[in-house]
Amino acid sequence: AFGALSLIIIATIRRQVWVVPRAAWPSLLVAGGLGVFLHQMLQAYGLTMTTAVRTGWLIGIIPVWSALLAFFVLGEHLRRVRVLGLLVGLAGVVVLLSDGQPGVALQLPQTRGDLLILASTVNWAVYTVLGRRILSRLDPLPATMAAMVVGLVLLLPPALFAGAASELMQVSLNAVLALLFLGVGCSALAYLLWFAALGRATTSSVASLLYFEPL
């Protein structure tokens, strides 16, 4: 909700065109379902059953999925040096997060949480490749805003059914600040910047920057 509202405010300030072509809506519905609703659910539940460190290592797989999907779906070239860079980055994440014992990291996934995070990496790669196609029809801001609103609509029913309204009325100030950061920073701005980057660079180049996230 914070993410959708933030993007609507940004679009209003920038006087961005709100009208989304009818032909783009099927892709936006899928993007909102995968990139917002499903991705947030997978990661939120996954983090309750695994550690941040294990999550960080698994997220390092996203650039590999993204590069492969972009190659097969979008026809992006995978030069040898790019493949080497992806593999070196992945190896670096493994060494960093396993404290120099790669065999420990390679035992993943070991928990249900690991499996959910692993599923979210494939899901995000699909969302990224789909985003490249959407950006051929729309600018990043209306595309991100529409996908975020779709995600909000899909998240509201299960959240309300689970009693989210009563829980939110009882949260502490620190929790409210955390939700604001997640909603405005990690949802609105991060999603918008991700789409903006995809409009300016190749899929594998943008996805490879996720190697910084485990740090």
Side-chain angles (χ1 to χ4, degrees):
F2 286 143
L5 180 60
S6 300
L7 290 169
I8 290 172
I9 292 173
I10 293 172
T12 302
I13 293 174
R14 294 186 59 185
R15 297 180 180 180
Q16 188 84 31
V17 177
W18 284 40
V19 179
V20 175
R22 184 178 298 179
W25 271 110
S27 296
L28 288 169
L29 290 172
V30 176
L34 291 178
V36 182
F37 172 73
L38 183 59
H39 188 72
Q40 299 287 354
M41 294 287 279
L42 287 171
Q43 292 223 330
Y45 278 99
L47 281 168
T48 66
M49 294 180 278
T50 189
T51 65
V53 171
R54 295 161 79 90
T55 298
W57 142 239
L58 287 167
I59 285 174
I61 304 176
I62 293 179
V64 177
W65 297 142
S66 299
L68 290 174
L69 280 174
F71 174 75
F72 288 109
V73 178
L74 301 176
E76 290 188 4
H77 296 296
L78 265 182
R79 294 178 298 173
R80 291 181 180 179
V81 65
R82 184 168 293 177
V83 173
L84 179 62
L86 288 170
L87 294 177
V88 169
L90 181 61
V93 172
V94 173
V95 172
L96 174 69
L97 297 174
S98 63
D99 197 23
Q101 299 177 349
V104 175
L106 293 176
Q107 293 174 5
L108 293 173
Q110 295 180 339
T111 69
R112 290 182 181 178
D114 294 338
L115 289 172
L116 289 175
I117 298 299
L118 181 60
S120 79
T121 66
V122 178
N123 179 69
W124 187 258
V126 174
Y127 172 75
T128 298
V129 171
L130 180 62
R132 289 281 294 184
R133 288 191 167 181
I134 292 173
L135 292 173
S136 65
R137 299 178 179 177
L138 286 174
D139 288 335
L141 181 52
T144 309
M145 182 175 64
M148 191 67 63
V149 170
V150 170
L152 170 62
V153 172
L154 292 175
L155 278 167
L156 273 178
L160 294 174
F161 181 78
S166 60
E167 286 189 17
L168 288 172
M169 295 298 292
Q170 302 173 22
V171 296
S172 65
L173 176 60
N174 284 340
V176 172
L177 294 175
L179 289 171
L180 279 170
F181 174 75
L182 290 171
V184 179
C186 300
S187 293
L189 297 181
Y191 274 70
L192 176 58
L193 291 172
W194 187 261
F195 261 20
L198 284 174
R200 292 167 170 78
T202 63
T203 305
S204 56
S205 297
V206 174
S208 67
L209 296 175
L210 284 174
Y211 284 132
F212 288 101
E213 187 166 344
L215 294 174

